[in-house]
Amino acid sequence: MRRIAACLALLAATAAWAQAPGATAPPPQPPAAQPPKIAATIADAAWLQGYWIGEGLGGVGEDFWMPPAKGMMLGAFRLVKSDGSKEFYELLGIEEFEGRCASS
């Protein structure tokens, strides 16, 4: 019960401090610099097409990419640890959008 009371007191003190009269907000920061947009098509990523396998990250990684079609490529990745246990997997996509490629 003391812990709950202490947490509530700390929360109330923090809220009161954050809303203290006369306090001013920090000045707004300029937006972060954006990387240059480079024109690209899905054909520029076509070299990924196929099945890739290699050792690393404590296991065996496999990557598969379908050939480009209709401005997009789809792929999948999985990592199986050396002891045979599953580590993780991903479903991947690259899509041509407004004259450049974006991944999802």
Side-chain angles (χ1 to χ4, degrees):
M1 191 64 155
R2 287 183 191 167
R3 268 191 184 164
I4 293 172
C7 288
L8 290 175
L10 180 60
L11 182 61
T14 303
W17 176 78
Q19 298 173 5
T24 59
Q29 298 295 318
Q34 296 294 318
K37 292 183 180 181
I38 299 171
T41 65
I42 201 65
D44 295 319
W47 64 270
L48 285 169
Q49 175 183 330
Y51 176 76
W52 305 78
I53 186 168
E55 292 184 26
L57 303 172
V60 175
E62 297 172 275
D63 207 8
F64 171 78
W65 284 94
M66 293 181 201
K70 304 289 185 187
M72 67 177 169
M73 290 180 72
L74 300 174
F77 174 84
R78 73 175 168 193
L79 176 65
V80 177
K81 293 298 238 178
S82 299
D83 64 5
S85 63
K86 296 177 281 191
E87 182 64 17
F88 72 93
Y89 69 92
E90 314 180 271
L91 302 176
L92 308 157
I94 301 174
E95 186 172 6
E96 200 173 305
F97 181 73
E98 296 181 354
R100 56 192 180 98
C101 288
S103 62
S104 58

